[in-house]
Amino acid sequence: MKLQFRVGLRTIKTGIAVAIALGFSWYVFGIYSGMGAVAAIVAMQPTIHRSFKIVFNRIFGTILGLVCGLAVVATLGANPLTIGLAVIVSLVFNSMIGRTDMSTFAAFAIVLMFESPTGDYAHYALTRSLLTVVGVLSAVAVNYIVFPPHYEDRLLLFVKKTTKQLMEDWRSLVKDDSKLLAVRKQVLKHEEMIIMLQEDQKYPLVASGQSEAFIQLKQLVDLEDKLLLLLESIASHRDLPMSEEQEKALGQEIDFLLSHHYDVIFSHERNQPMFTFDQEISEVKDIINGHLLDYREQLEKMK
């Protein structure tokens, strides 16, 4: 088995954020606690938007959990049953206020609070809350300032690779559902990356999701999806009776569209329209024809 050694930017940034959090813990608070480091790891998300979202969930979830834990301990004392009760109280409260996304952080904070070597749970809870804040803010700052996420170039390479596979192998793909499913998983990843790009459009250090380059990239992903939908439609109806002439006409129509699709992806700086379409539509089954038209229309948008 061949091992691949690759260190991504997010991996490096996670290490930097952890080092900052532990540095604060050691040099500012005079203790060594992994709570801030764990918070930094959780908050290092693939997009700036998701990192900021974690800030709220992590900080307020931790504070809520610690408050519930202190209230239960002050009332009933500290033992395994009261710790379990404190977790239940925090989870129920999160559900009541409609913030179940904070539940895990609240429960996590309660369990860690009782690791205090002394009975001063309030001081221990306050210190760990501050370390949590330091950890998530360290992650957000590093993620935002140090090589902020840019997915455009990588996504374009992925789209070109997948689309080229669809173009070259479409006749064999429509005969193999497992191969089509594998390609669908790739396209879903591309669509997820488009969503991540859109999420960060508010942040000036990150490439804007409103830029012309992003709009064109989104169109390419949409076009890739239309082509895959067409092939999936043909595959799901491959048992329908079709004459040899109809099969030939359909193949020619798809090849015609694919040639222009290729131009859209691999050609640059055109001063004239890239292509025109005939009005004639191949005589194929309606459901396949619908996806064929969708694919056509998406290509038209790329003129």
Side-chain angles (χ1 to χ4, degrees), residues 30-260:
I31 58 175
Y32 180 83
S33 172
M35 198 163 184
V38 170
I41 294 171
V42 172
M44 185 58 68
Q45 296 292 311
T47 68
I48 302 298
H49 176 77
R50 295 182 189 184
S51 286
F52 276 117
K53 187 175 180 181
I54 286 291
V55 169
F56 178 88
N57 291 342
R58 180 77 200 201
I59 292 176
F60 288 95
T62 298
I63 293 174
L64 176 62
L66 294 175
V67 169
C68 290
L70 290 173
V72 171
V73 168
T75 305
L76 303 175
N79 60 67
L81 289 178
T82 57
I83 295 172
L85 177 61
V87 170
I88 292 173
V89 170
S90 70
L91 296 179
V92 170
F93 189 77
N94 274 299
S95 180
M96 289 174 59
I97 63 176
R99 294 310 305 254
T100 54
D101 49 349
M102 299 192 310
S103 298
T104 301
F105 302 128
F108 184 67
I110 291 172
V111 173
L112 287 185
M113 181 182 73
F114 291 100
E115 289 187 341
S116 172
T118 68
D120 190 359
Y121 296 113
H123 179 267
Y124 193 79
L126 177 61
T127 303
R128 268 58 190 176
S129 297
L130 291 174
L131 288 174
T132 296
V133 173
V134 169
V136 293
L137 292 181
S138 297
V140 171
V142 170
N143 203 17
Y144 189 60
I145 297 172
V146 181
F147 303 112
H150 294 287
Y151 296 102
E152 291 93 332
D153 293 340
R154 185 167 51 159
L155 178 54
L156 181 58
L157 289 175
F158 289 160
V159 171
K160 285 183 175 181
K161 181 179 179 180
T162 301
T163 304
K164 190 173 181 181
Q165 178 187 357
L166 288 170
M167 291 175 175
E168 294 176 348
D169 301 334
W170 76 266
R171 285 181 171 82
S172 62
L173 286 174
V174 297
K175 299 177 182 178
D176 192 327
D177 293 334
S178 62
K179 289 183 179 179
L180 268 182
L181 180 59
V183 177
R184 169 55 67 188
K185 291 179 179 178
Q186 295 175 32
V187 175
L188 288 174
K189 290 179 181 178
H190 302 166
E191 292 171 346
E192 172 64 16
M193 292 180 75
I194 283 290
I195 292 173
M196 290 193 294
L197 284 169
Q198 285 180 306
E199 288 177 352
D200 280 352
Q201 64 182 339
K202 304 174 185 177
Y203 308 105
L205 292 183
V206 185
S208 174
Q210 297 175 331
S211 67
E212 183 178 352
F214 168 80
I215 293 172
Q216 292 176 348
L217 186 54
K218 185 177 185 304
Q219 288 178 329
L220 288 179
V221 174
D222 290 341
L223 186 57
E224 175 189 50
D225 179 62
K226 296 296 184 186
L227 172 56
L228 182 56
L229 282 172
L230 170 62
L231 300 184
E232 288 172 338
S233 179
I234 295 173
S236 63
H237 298 87
R238 56 177 170 249
D239 295 330
L240 291 179
M242 188 179 296
S243 68
E244 184 177 341
E245 291 77 12
Q246 287 176 324
E247 289 184 3
K248 183 178 179 181
L250 176 60
Q252 289 175 340
E253 178 75 2
I254 294 174
D255 287 336
F256 170 73
L257 295 175
L258 288 178
S259 66
H260 298 306

